[in-house]
Amino acid sequence: MVILVGAGPGAKDLITVRGLNALRRAQCVIYDRLISDDILNEVPEGAEMIYVGKEPGKHYASQQEINDLLITYGRKYERVVRLKGGDPFVFGRGGEEVLALNEAGIHFEVIPGLTSAIAVPETAGIPVTHRGMARSFHVVTGHTMDGINDMEDVYARLKILAGEEGTLVFLMGSRNLRFIAGTLVNFGKDRQTPAAVIHDGTLGSEKKLVGDLGSIADIAENEGVGSPSIIVIGDVVNVLCSYKKRVAVVGTCDTLNKLRRALNGCGIGTVPMMDMAVKRLPDAEKLLQIFKEADKYSEKRKFPYDWVLFTSRQAVKLFFQIFNESVADIRTLSDLKFGCIAEGTADELKKYHIACDFMSSHPDSDHFAGEFTEHICRGQKVLIPHAYTGSKSIVYALEKAGIYHTELLIYDVEGRAAADFENIIRHEKSFVFLSASGARAFFAELNDKNAADVFYGEVNIFCIGKFTEDEFVREYKSLKGDASGFALIETSEAYTLKISENVNLITADKYTVSGLCDCMHDFFNKE
């Protein structure tokens, strides 16, 4: 079986779920040039990797050689993935590869991908169609428009396109931009027609250049923009020119997706900068045993604690995941009460049809610890399953109050930087940290790369809560060796601390993803 998988326009989180599942089960992967390292990291360890990339003026393998490789490895392995940028059938020669496999009697499957012809302009704020402006769009390969081969056919195509009122999208045409723009103008296209070049679309290093047909080639040349780039020509280029603000994000995949959904419609785009993966620790097995032991006594079904305290959404998720693994009777939890540090954690608990019994008046560790020790009845037992790097405030408060408790460090969060991590830092101006562990991982990555500086130019740092903010400040000062204080430059629902000449730190009062999104929206609207 050979599976043709469209990897999408570049960003890891824009490959389809089906495509990602196929990639994670592959025994052999035959892949093209424009596949990000983040996507290739999903290939199972031990799988054979074969690069057949094509670069301008340089091919590692001809199409016939690629077809032969697919047949050879399709007979050798049970699951071969042919990983192609964008969609396999949009200028990807996927049809030729399928025909070759079919003729050789090898089973195949095609998993579509988001074509860059639509996805890249879209994520850059350019709709390829727009009511009253563009009722059609035309996707054209610019690769063969080199002014040498098939000139008669090239001119004939451009002459037709010059008369079209819809949007023109050229793929693989960056080397021929001047030729394409000039020929369209020569055939009657208005030289003031809006035009854009988008380089490294959907990635952190994305660059969008906007001009018109008469100027776009000079603009791209002056900026040194080359392949891979997409050319968009038409009035739609100017529809959303004010769109969009972008933020680079450090967080787990789940939190990033929640943030992206919450920002949808606000004109704020997201760029994944570090993926925070949850790692179970040995204490998770201790929790599993607690569930199993409680379930052994079928008559009592008594959980040996009165309270469980959660200081994060992830702790809630993992607690019930481990409970499900134990296959314990649900009545084991019947007498338990649950405390949550903040509204977001309580919302996560509601997903398991359980209401929170205690929540502090303010969503930080100190309030949670102090108020809970006043709330709890003496003699009750408390379980605290939380992160390895989580705040110890509640543990210290219970110790001081003489309340029986057990702390279980059931998980840790590890960061993996995006392949274009350094480019993101260099080009982005706004950064979002969704956890304290994310802030630590970010600065650890900077240390590993021996970064000369943290940020370039003035930047905005958005933190989801006070604990995350404190951790960011601590790590920032450690890296910079700066012991200076902070100047409060604005007070409102969202406040801003200026922690150096070029770094603004913003944290909302409401320590949830939705609260953070409201804060970001308000902040950008004031600019």
Side-chain angles (χ1 to χ4, degrees), residues 174-210:
S174 56
R175 287 201 309 161
N176 303 308
L177 174 57
R178 190 174 297 279
F179 170 76
I180 292 169
T183 305
L184 287 171
V185 170
N186 289 340
F187 280 126
K189 197 80 170 170
D190 189 340
R191 65 182 295 106
Q192 292 185 333
T193 302
V197 174
I198 307 156
H199 174 68
D200 277 354
T202 76
L203 300 177
S205 51
E206 177 185 301
K207 181 180 268 189
K208 180 175 73 172
L209 306 177
V210 177

Side-chain angles (χ1 to χ4, degrees), residues 308-311 339-342 358-373 384 394 397:
V308 175
L309 300 185
F310 293 122
T311 57
C340 297
I341 193 171
F358 170 82
M359 186 166 64
S360 54
S361 61
H362 203 70
D364 64 70
S365 301
D366 292 338
H367 279 83
F368 185 51
E371 292 174 13
F372 179 75
T373 52
I384 315 160
I394 186 65

Side-chain angles (χ1 to χ4, degrees), residues 290-309:
I290 290 173
F291 286 132
K292 288 182 176 179
E293 288 296 322
D295 194 54
K296 274 184 182 179
Y297 306 102
S298 57
E299 293 182 3
K300 295 182 180 179
R301 291 193 183 91
K302 175 66 176 174
F303 194 73
Y305 294 90
D306 302 289
W307 282 88
V308 175
L309 300 185

Side-chain angles (χ1 to χ4, degrees), residues 1-4 30 70-71 73-75 77-82 101 106-110:
M1 167 71 78
V2 174
I3 307 170
L4 275 71
I30 300 173
L70 291 175
I71 292 168
Y73 287 95
R75 288 172 175 157
Y77 294 106
E78 290 183 8
R79 295 184 67 83
V80 175
V81 166
R82 171 69 174 111
L101 291 168
I106 295 174
H107 295 295
F108 64 86
E109 179 187 352
V110 180

Side-chain angles (χ1 to χ4, degrees), residues 126-148:
I126 300 174
V128 293
T129 65
H130 191 73
R131 188 168 62 170
M133 187 173 292
R135 299 174 67 180
S136 64
F137 64 94
H138 311 267
V139 181
V140 188
T141 174
H143 187 59
T144 57
M145 294 183 176
D146 54 13
I148 299 174

